[in-house]
């Protein structure tokens, strides 16, 4: 039996796992030594952690948009909560915990928990309603979070954390240092995030999301998306499973946010604005609704694209936009789909011929 | 002395008789859509293992009755009792958990999911697998899924559909989709199953098989079946009690023979026919 036919015989879950984990592991195995040896340009090395976080963001958003079928326009808001939770926590643990990886882990967990709580607070009232309310509310949520953090001042001294919403001077600190400085955002962050940590976070996200899809809870979530009325008629509590999907998605975004923030020396709330939410949504739409594998590829490519187009200078956003529209037209037009299908069939028949040839020559 | 339990209709029964009550009772059920009274004064009882028919001309309000019984619509008036318990204030999914399952006039499957998964969604509330088992695929996940797979295949096999388990539900032929909807409803372990035009779009041989299946459902699962159907041959053959609805009101109730010879029923159906003929001539 050839490898291909063995692969075909596996369950859908096993195939998804092999394909997706395989892709991530191969990418890491190639990029890690290259970046360590300094063979990749600096502009790309600097993007490795952000790419990891955006992959986690896109996979988690796909859980809400693709698997649950609800539109969220404020995913960056959860990233923001995670980012600033992570920044504050890591700053306050810096002198108490010796090991950076432990601090990073705790920061990521805390970011996930707080973003999850925020997801819960939004989800409970909104997901009860049927309709596109979630889109509107998450849109507002993203803006509100941004504005709150923009006027939030947090400092730390020997007495502990000081929080204030007026200005840095009113924190009343004796010595110590400022962690969050209003519109400047988190400042003086110790960069403890690493490509390896990003890689592990992607694996963790895949583990949670793919397992969830192929489980009792996942079936309930997909059933709600496919046909809400039918799902209700077989005794599935709609609100509960919508909440499960949405909170999981928010928590993962919070974890990504913490990793993201700890990769820079300063991060402003403005970074997590509406444009970022839309950017992540674009990754999901182009990667394919509910398609985790496609999401990873789309995110990696589209995130790097502006970087690679740097040489084109002023025209790069124009080219970027044109490429986006082209992909969108390609993936949505039935004619293009037909052409792709035909190409696939042709490729398959060529492969089959080759395989037959091998069998013939063996015999 | 026995405790007394009030009927929604106002009568009082001793509690010892409560479990002898029929599986489903509706009392003076009614709903208005804006100014339109779609269903009114709908009172009906269905016995624990009865096959009951609900018939009537197009637009009579039959599907609306099903939507009321399953609380898809909240009734404007009246009460619904399932096994002696009121379903008032419950939502559709809670009503299902109380024991009412249904199929839909226009098929509502999870069309992107496999046939097996459709049935496993039906089994949702009998699978013991919490959220953490779901995301880790540990903590009893394997065992729960194994039991669910076995049960789902058993149910599919009951309708000779086990070999279709891996197919995508949406790609099945029409008849098989209707059967799958019934299997999915049965998977929820109901005490009554409501079938909305199960024979619609079926050819005579498929219809004959369906009739056999409906009897087998009742006999094997020991549950009640209530069905809406325009195929009079099917209704007259398998229903023990029939209720005729016209313009939202019950115009007759009885055995198939009583219904066949009821002048009101004949008028409701023939009257429609005459109107149609007149339209055709015009
Ligand atoms: N949600 C609703 N809003 C307003 N009117 C409704 C609604 N649902 C049903 N109706 C009206 O109630 C009446 C009964 O409709 P219903 O679908 O119950 O008929 P039916 O007996 O099932 O007909 P058919 O045999 O064609 O399926 C119709 O006049 C319909 O327009
Ligand atoms: Mg109807």
């Amino acid at each position: 039996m050839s490898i291909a036919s063995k692969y075909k015989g596996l369950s859908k879950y096993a195939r998804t796992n092999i394909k997706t984990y395989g892709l991530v592991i191969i990418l890491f195995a190639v990029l890690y030594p290259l970046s360590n040896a300094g063979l990749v340009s600096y502009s790309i090395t600097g993007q490795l952690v952000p790419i990891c976080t955006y992959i986690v963001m896109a996979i988690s958003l796909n859980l809400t948009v693709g698997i649950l079928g609800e539109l969220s326009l404020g995913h960056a808001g959860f990233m923001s909560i995670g980012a600033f939770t992570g920044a504050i926590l890591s700053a306050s643990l810096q002198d108490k915990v010796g090991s950076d990886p432990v601090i990073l882990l705790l920061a990521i967990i805390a970011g996930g928990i707080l973003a999850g709580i925020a997801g819960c607070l939004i989800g409970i009232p909104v997901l009860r309603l049927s309709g596109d309310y979630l889109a509107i509310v998450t849109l507002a949520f993203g803006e509100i979070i941004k504005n709150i953090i923009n006027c939030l001042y947090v400092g730390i001294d020997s007495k502990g954390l000081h929080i204030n919403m007026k200005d840095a001077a009113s924190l009343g600190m004796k010595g110590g240092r400022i962690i969050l400085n209003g519109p400047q955002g988190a400042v003086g962050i110790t960069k403890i995030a690493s490509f390896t940590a990003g890689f592990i976070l992607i694996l963790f996200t895949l583990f949670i999301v793919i397992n969830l899809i192929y489980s009792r809870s996942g079936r309930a979530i997909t059933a709600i998306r496919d046909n809400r009325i039918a799902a209700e008629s077989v005794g599935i509590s709609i609100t509960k499973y919508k909440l499960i999907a949405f909170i999981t998605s928010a928590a993962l975004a919070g974890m990504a946010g913490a990793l993201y923030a700890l990769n820079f020396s300063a991060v402003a709330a403005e970074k997590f604005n509406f444009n970022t939410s839309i950017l992540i949504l674009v990754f999901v739409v182009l990667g394919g609704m509910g398609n985790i594998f496609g999401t990873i590829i789309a995110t990696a490519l589209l995130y790097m694209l502006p970087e690679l187009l740097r040489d084109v200078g002023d025209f790069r956003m124009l080219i970027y936009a044109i490429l986006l529209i082209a992909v969108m037209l390609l993936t949505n037009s039935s004619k293009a789909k037909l052409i792709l299908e035909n190409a696939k069939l042709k490729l398959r028949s060529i492969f089959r011929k080759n395989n037959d040839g091998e069998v013939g020559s063996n015999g | 002395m026995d405790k007394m339990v009030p009927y929604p209709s106002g009568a009082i029964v001793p509690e010892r008789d409560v479990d002898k009550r029929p599986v489903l009772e509706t009392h003076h059920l009614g709903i208005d859509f804006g100014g339109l009274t779609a269903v009114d004064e709908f009172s009906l009882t269905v016995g624990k293992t009865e096959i009951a028919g609900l018939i009537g001309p197009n637009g009579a309000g039959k599907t609306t009755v099903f939507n009321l019984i399953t609380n898809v619509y909240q009734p404007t008036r009246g009460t619904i009792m399932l096994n002696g318990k009121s379903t008032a204030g419950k939502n559709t999914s809670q009503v299902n958990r109380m024991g009412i399952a249904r199929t839909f006039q226009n098929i509502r499957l999870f069309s992107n999911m496999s046939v097996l998964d459709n049935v496993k969604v039906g089994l949702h509330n009998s699978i013991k697998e919490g959220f953490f088992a779901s995301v880790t695929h540990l903590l009893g996940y394997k065992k729960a899924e194994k039991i669910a797979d076995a049960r789902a295949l058993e149910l599919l096999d009951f309708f000779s559909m086990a070999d279709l388990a891996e197919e995508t539900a949406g790609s099945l032929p029409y008849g098989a989709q209707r059967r799958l909807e019934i299997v999915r409803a049965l998977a929820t372990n109901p005490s009554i199953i409501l079938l909305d035009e199960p024979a619609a779009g079926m050819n005579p041989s498929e219809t004959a098989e369906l009739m056999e299946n409906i009897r087998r459902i009742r006999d094997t699962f020991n549950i009640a079946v209530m069905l809406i159907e325009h195929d009079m041959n099917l209704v007259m053959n398998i229903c023990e009690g029939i209720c005729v609805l016209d313009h939202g009101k019950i115009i007759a109730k009885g055995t198939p023979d009583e219904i066949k010879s009821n002048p009101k029923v004949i008028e409701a159906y023939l009257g429609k026919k005459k109107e149609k003929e007149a339209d055709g001539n015009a």
Side-chain angles (χ1 to χ4, degrees):
Chain A
M1 207 160 54
S2 74
I3 292 176
S5 60
K6 241 181 212 163
Y7 179 78
K8 279 254 162 67
L10 290 169
S11 72
K12 223 175 160 192
Y13 169 66
R15 270 184 289 167
T16 310
N17 271 343
I18 293 174
K19 206 166 73 172
T20 346
Y21 286 100
L23 172 72
V24 173
I25 291 170
I26 289 172
L27 281 181
F28 181 73
V30 171
L31 286 172
Y32 185 74
L34 284 182
S35 72
N36 267 5
L39 291 173
V40 200
S41 80
Y42 180 75
S43 67
I44 292 183
T45 321
Q47 297 299 329
L48 288 176
V49 173
I51 287 184
C52 290
T53 60
Y54 275 97
I55 287 176
V56 173
M57 288 303 292
I59 295 173
S60 61
L61 183 62
N62 212 336
L63 182 57
T64 299
V65 179
I67 314 288
L68 175 64
E70 292 275 337
L71 186 55
S72 165
L73 296 176
H75 209 48
F78 298 114
M79 190 183 188
S80 179
I81 291 182
F84 293 102
T85 307
I88 294 171
L89 190 80
S90 78
S92 25
L93 290 180
Q94 215 72 68
D95 310 320
K96 296 182 188 98
V97 181
S99 149
D100 280 351
V102 173
I103 296 178
L104 182 62
L105 180 67
L106 291 175
I108 288 176
I109 292 173
I113 291 175
L114 254 74
I117 292 173
C120 192
L121 293 179
I122 295 176
I124 286 176
V126 177
L127 290 172
R128 279 168 194 281
L129 313 168
S130 48
D132 287 331
Y133 297 101
L134 190 70
I136 302 162
V137 174
T138 46
L139 172 68
F141 160 76
E143 291 305 299
I144 292 169
I145 287 296
K146 193 183 76 188
N147 288 324
I148 289 178
I149 293 173
N150 260 335
C151 52
L152 196 62
Y153 296 84
V154 179
I156 190 169
D157 62 10
S158 51
K159 275 192 184 159
L161 282 177
H162 296 255
I163 301 172
N164 177 300
M165 295 206 60
K166 232 166 93 201
D167 52 40
S170 343
L171 283 171
M173 299 207 304
K174 296 185 181 79
R177 64 191 182 83
I178 306 242
I179 305 172
L180 241 170
N181 195 10
Q184 282 187 318
V187 289
I189 304 172
T190 318
K191 292 200 247 175
I192 51 174
S194 64
F195 185 33
T196 313
F199 169 68
I200 294 170
L201 187 60
I202 295 179
L203 292 185
F204 174 76
T205 306
L206 288 179
F207 179 76
I208 298 289
V209 173
I210 298 178
N211 277 349
L212 182 62
I213 294 173
Y214 295 92
S215 73
R216 171 176 174 267
S217 307
R219 282 191 299 269
I221 294 165
T222 326
I224 293 170
R225 175 198 68 190
D226 272 12
N227 201 317
R228 199 179 70 96
I229 293 175
E232 257 177 322
S233 85
V234 293
I236 287 169
S237 22
I238 307 296
T239 315
K240 178 179 165 189
Y241 284 95
K242 278 186 176 179
L243 270 177
I244 283 182
F246 187 64
I247 293 172
T248 308
S249 161
L252 289 170
M255 294 176 134
L259 179 79
Y260 184 86
L262 297 175
N263 184 52
F264 298 99
S265 49
V267 174
E270 191 53 45
K271 179 72 208 158
F272 311 103
N273 58 12
F274 180 62
N275 288 349
T276 306
S277 292
I278 293 298
L279 184 72
I280 301 161
L281 191 61
V282 167
F283 297 158
V284 170
V285 172
L286 293 184
M289 293 287 186
N291 180 350
I292 306 300
F293 181 80
T295 301
I296 297 174
I297 295 191
T299 308
L301 285 182
L302 290 176
Y303 194 81
M304 286 320 290
L305 202 57
E307 214 49 61
L308 300 174
L309 288 177
R310 204 166 273 274
D311 296 337
V312 208
D314 288 345
F315 289 109
R316 74 186 174 127
M317 281 332 271
L318 184 66
I319 294 178
Y320 187 68
I322 291 171
L323 275 173
L324 278 188
I325 293 169
V327 175
M328 235 174 308
L329 288 177
L330 263 177
T331 45
N332 282 321
S333 97
S334 49
K335 229 181 197 170
K337 258 185 202 152
L338 237 131
I339 294 169
L340 275 178
E341 269 316 299
N342 278 340
K344 243 190 202 169
L345 284 179
K346 263 193 197 132
L347 271 178
R348 215 169 272 166
S349 69
I350 291 170
F351 271 115
R352 212 165 284 148
K353 261 182 211 149
N354 280 352
N355 275 353
D356 290 351
E358 276 167 29
V359 171
S361 63
N362 282 345
Chain B
M1 206 194 98
D2 276 319
K3 236 170 101 185
M4 305 300 254
V5 182
Y7 256 60
S9 54
I12 307 260
V13 285
E15 198 176 56
R16 70 182 141 77
D17 286 345
V18 164
D19 60 343
K20 291 199 195 98
R21 291 167 60 168
V23 60
L24 180 77
E25 303 155 81
T26 68
H27 298 275
H28 314 291
L29 205 57
I31 186 166
D32 304 336
F33 294 116
L36 176 93
T37 300
V39 172
D40 201 24
E41 285 297 314
F42 187 88
S43 298
L44 185 78
T45 55
V46 180
K48 277 192 191 311
T49 55
E50 185 181 343
I51 299 180
L54 180 59
I55 62 172
N58 289 109
K62 304 178 295 295
T63 300
T64 306
V65 167
F66 274 15
N67 284 335
L68 286 171
I69 295 174
T70 52
N71 278 13
V72 170
Y73 299 149
Q74 296 296 325
T76 316
R77 300 168 289 278
T79 43
I80 303 157
M81 308 283 283
L82 182 75
N83 290 317
K85 284 194 202 88
S86 167
T87 65
K90 300 273 193 287
N91 63 32
T92 305
S93 107
Q94 287 166 327
V95 167
N96 171 267
R97 276 174 261 161
M98 287 176 75
I100 304 181
R102 73 174 292 185
T103 65
F104 297 87
Q105 184 170 350
N106 39 355
I107 302 175
R108 286 180 176 278
L109 286 172
F110 309 120
S111 28
N112 298 320
M113 296 167 82
S114 73
V115 168
L116 188 74
D117 277 350
N118 267 269
V119 184
K120 281 166 86 180
V121 174
L123 289 169
H124 184 85
N125 286 310
S126 52
I127 302 176
K128 289 187 179 58
E129 180 189 315
F131 173 71
F132 288 102
S134 276
V135 290
T136 57
H137 281 204
L138 301 167
L139 314 163
Y141 167 87
K142 291 249 157 60
K143 194 178 157 210
E145 290 290 318
K146 212 171 148 190
I147 295 173
D149 282 338
R151 179 67 182 146
L153 282 172
E154 194 179 12
L155 285 168
L156 283 169
D157 197 40
F158 189 81
F159 291 86
S160 328
M161 291 181 77
D163 50 331
L164 298 175
E166 300 291 317
E167 305 287 324
T168 307
S171 70
L172 293 182
Y174 193 78
Q177 293 200 12
R178 284 228 174 265
R179 264 186 295 165
L180 177 56
E181 241 199 344
I182 299 178
V183 180
R184 184 184 67 189
L186 281 174
T188 66
N189 197 20
S191 38
I192 178 168
I193 180 167
L194 313 177
L195 309 175
D196 198 341
E197 303 199 12
M202 286 190 170
N203 61 35
S205 81
E206 283 176 321
T207 307
E209 195 189 323
L210 173 73
M211 275 159 63
E212 194 43 49
N213 279 337
I214 292 175
R215 283 203 195 92
R216 279 172 60 219
I217 290 172
R218 190 265 306 274
D219 297 340
T220 318
F221 296 89
N222 264 312
I223 60 173
V225 179
M226 182 168 168
L227 57 94
I228 296 175
E229 195 39 76
H230 286 294
D231 184 332
M232 281 309 136
N233 178 36
L234 182 147
V235 175
M236 295 300 166
N237 260 305
I238 62 170
C239 293
E240 286 134 11
I242 296 174
C243 172
V244 189
L245 209 59
D246 191 21
H247 293 107
K249 288 209 173 67
I250 294 177
I251 55 167
K253 270 193 252 185
T255 64
D257 286 335
E258 286 165 4
I259 296 297
K260 267 185 230 168
S261 54
N262 187 315
K264 273 187 181 167
V265 178
I266 296 170
E267 201 201 301
Y269 274 88
L270 290 185
K272 284 270 158 175
K273 241 183 210 163
K274 270 184 197 146
E275 273 170 34
K276 265 186 202 156
E277 272 163 22
D279 287 349
N281 291 340

